Amino acid sequence: MSSRRTLSSRQIAAAALEIADREGIDGLTMAAVAERLGVGTMTLYGYFRSKDELLDAVLDEAVRGFRPASREGTWRERLEQLAHVGRENLERHPAMVAIRFRRPVLRPEALRFGEAALGILLEAGLDPREATQSFRLFFTYVFGFAGLSPRRTEGDARRHAAAAIALLPPERYPNLTAAAAEAAAAMGGDEQFQYGLDRILDGIEARLADRRR
Amino acid sequence: MSSRRTLSSRQIAAAALEIADREGIDGLTMAAVAERLGVGTMTLYGYFRSKDELLDAVLDEAVRGFRPASREGTWRERLEQLAHVGRENLERHPAMVAIRFRRPVLRPEALRFGEAALGILLEAGLDPREATQSFRLFFTYVFGFAGLSPRRTEGDARRHAAAAIALLPPERYPNLTAAAAEAAAAMGGDEQFQYGLDRILDGIEARLADRRR
DNA sequence: ACCTGAACACCGTTCAAGT
DNA sequence: ACCTGAACACCGTTCAAGT
């Protein structure tokens, strides 16, 4: 938990995060972390009761490096900026996404993102109920996009997708085969992220206008 | 591939799907599938070259049971219905979601969902580029929601979340602590799904109105 | 007090041996 | 031709033994 000799929990978590980000969540094994630190595998169990506890520390470590969003501008500008900052953070630490899809994350530091988004939506004029619901939509989009888009390392994911779509029988898949290039392009990237974000923000804005009436 | 004696690829895939849906993706092991079928583990390798190939067959098997969406109504009614049908299908086969978040799915049968959504958006009046972009937003929401909501079996996920939020220091988390109950409620469920879907459909509708002008 | 090898119960998969 | 046990290289983790 606290003062041991050669290592610290933080050091171990940082090493584990680096491995997970680089090799993927499946590459994050206790043996790999130990080897990277030059200690025996079992040494790690002096700092964490289990791998699951280490994963919690990995999340904390990832969140620690998160850039905060600015606090200037309209609710829409701020929420848009928070989305981009959130996505950048997740791209720098893809391990976070993989862990989140395995179980909910309730660590205090990781909840700062939710706290910020919720604050913006409340200030925009939504009641607590709708603000949390809109936050959840926002969160689902940012994390869902990160989890469902090809990773940056998989540069040929689009080519694979385009090829698979091109092989479909056009009579059963007229729309997909006709728009194969567009469909492959829309698998990820800045422009696609922005397009979906714009539609969501438009939808929330329409809701705010509705409520004001 | 084809005619063997006691088993068939379909049978194995069906057994694997059942295990994955019931025990989660981590419970889907070659040994577990073989045991369920009453054969030796290595027998499965006569039908599938690897576990990954079996997972593809599991996806096909899951999609086979999908209910199709109706083809009546406005683009908005049809897209809304497709979202609900998609979500119901994913809830019946949570294994699909887990597999999809590990790798893109390009199996023909699984692409019927995309083909249908794309067709609706094109008929609504979006050009191919925006139709694929809007489809991607739609897809991200439906799959993201399924992947990020607590599974139906985890009935106490909300209580856990509410408890964790209640423990946050209110001075640093004023919004979350004040709306703890709402935030926990918004983690999943029909109403939350509908709320986010409504905002997205509103956003697409606003875009269509914009383009018409 | 801190570290760690041996051992165990699991994984997916190769390979050779069964029928 | 089809099936499968033994074996291998991995997992996380317990436990007892090292310093």
Side-chain angles (χ1 to χ4, degrees):
Chain A
M1 207 59 185
S2 50
S3 63
R4 250 76 150 238
R5 203 126 35 110
T6 51
L7 285 176
S8 72
S9 303
R10 284 276 311 267
Q11 247 183 301
I12 297 172
L17 174 62
E18 204 186 309
I19 291 170
D21 283 340
R22 190 158 26 86
E23 320 257 347
I25 192 76
D26 289 334
L28 173 53
T29 68
M30 298 303 268
V33 176
E35 197 198 8
R36 170 155 203 78
L37 295 166
V39 298
T41 303
M42 294 318 301
T43 303
L44 305 183
Y45 286 85
Y47 299 82
F48 300 99
R49 256 191 295 273
S50 66
K51 184 178 181 180
D52 217 57
E53 209 174 75
L54 170 57
L55 287 183
D56 274 340
V58 168
L59 286 174
D60 284 345
E61 190 63 25
V63 170
R64 216 183 300 270
F66 273 22
R67 289 192 203 99
S70 107
R71 298 175 180 281
E72 311 284 311
T74 65
W75 72 265
R76 180 161 180 148
E77 288 164 350
R78 291 168 66 199
L79 203 56
E80 181 172 341
Q81 215 230 328
L82 186 62
H84 285 290
V85 165
R87 177 168 172 247
E88 283 163 25
N89 287 333
L90 294 180
E91 290 224 334
R92 266 187 301 142
H93 295 302
M96 272 212 72
V97 183
I99 295 174
R100 177 57 185 85
F101 277 102
R102 285 169 177 248
R103 55 192 172 90
V105 168
L106 298 170
R107 308 239 96 197
E109 287 308 309
L111 292 174
R112 285 189 313 173
F113 181 78
E115 173 68 17
L118 195 50
I120 294 168
L121 288 160
L122 286 165
E123 284 173 37
L126 290 174
D127 62 41
R129 180 182 178 77
E130 285 211 37
T132 53
Q133 290 181 316
S134 287
F135 156 67
R136 193 74 193 178
L137 162 62
F138 179 76
F139 165 81
T140 300
Y141 181 65
V142 175
F143 271 74
F145 191 92
L148 292 165
S149 302
R151 313 289 165 273
R152 243 181 313 193
T153 51
E154 302 164 25
D156 44 9
R158 275 185 187 71
R159 252 170 297 134
H160 266 108
I165 293 172
L167 284 173
L168 295 171
E171 61 279 10
R172 288 193 59 209
Y173 298 86
N175 305 310
L176 267 180
T177 49
E182 288 90 342
M187 287 176 76
D190 295 349
E191 194 182 326
Q192 173 60 36
F193 183 74
Q194 185 68 50
Y195 184 90
L197 182 59
D198 284 341
R199 300 293 79 72
I200 288 173
L201 294 174
D202 284 351
I204 295 175
E205 193 162 312
R207 182 70 185 152
L208 278 164
D210 245 32
R211 302 234 68 173
R212 246 180 255 118
R213 245 188 292 137
Chain B
M1 207 60 183
S2 50
S3 63
R4 249 74 151 243
R5 201 122 41 107
T6 53
L7 285 175
S8 72
S9 305
R10 284 276 312 265
Q11 245 183 304
I12 297 171
L17 174 63
E18 203 186 309
I19 291 170
D21 283 340
R22 189 159 27 85
E23 320 257 347
I25 191 77
D26 289 333
L28 173 52
T29 68
M30 298 303 270
V33 176
E35 198 198 8
R36 170 153 203 80
L37 295 165
V39 298
T41 303
M42 294 317 303
T43 303
L44 305 183
Y45 286 85
Y47 298 82
F48 301 99
R49 254 190 297 273
S50 66
K51 184 178 180 179
D52 217 58
E53 208 174 76
L54 171 57
L55 287 183
D56 274 340
V58 167
L59 287 174
D60 284 345
E61 190 63 27
V63 171
R64 216 184 300 270
F66 272 23
R67 288 190 204 102
S70 106
R71 298 174 180 281
E72 311 284 311
T74 65
W75 72 266
R76 180 163 180 145
E77 288 165 349
R78 291 168 66 199
L79 202 56
E80 180 172 342
Q81 215 231 327
L82 186 61
H84 284 290
V85 166
R87 176 166 172 248
E88 284 162 25
N89 287 333
L90 294 180
E91 291 223 334
R92 266 188 300 143
H93 296 301
M96 272 213 71
V97 183
I99 295 174
R100 176 57 184 86
F101 276 101
R102 287 172 175 246
R103 55 190 171 92
V105 168
L106 299 169
R107 309 238 97 197
E109 288 309 309
L111 291 174
R112 286 189 311 173
F113 180 78
E115 172 68 17
L118 195 50
I120 294 168
L121 288 160
L122 287 165
E123 284 172 39
L126 290 174
D127 62 40
R129 181 180 176 79
E130 285 211 38
T132 53
Q133 289 181 315
S134 286
F135 156 66
R136 194 72 192 179
L137 162 62
F138 179 77
F139 165 81
T140 300
Y141 181 65
V142 174
F143 271 74
F145 191 93
L148 292 164
S149 302
R151 312 290 164 271
R152 241 182 314 199
T153 51
E154 303 164 24
D156 46 9
R158 274 185 188 71
R159 252 171 296 134
H160 266 107
I165 293 172
L167 285 172
L168 294 172
E171 61 278 8
R172 290 191 60 207
Y173 297 87
N175 304 310
L176 267 179
T177 50
E182 287 90 344
M187 286 177 75
D190 294 348
E191 193 181 328
Q192 173 60 37
F193 183 74
Q194 185 67 51
Y195 184 89
L197 182 60
D198 284 341
R199 302 291 80 71
I200 288 174
L201 294 174
D202 283 351
I204 295 174
E205 194 161 312
R207 182 69 186 153
L208 278 165
D210 245 32
R211 303 233 67 171
R212 245 179 257 117
R213 246 189 289 138

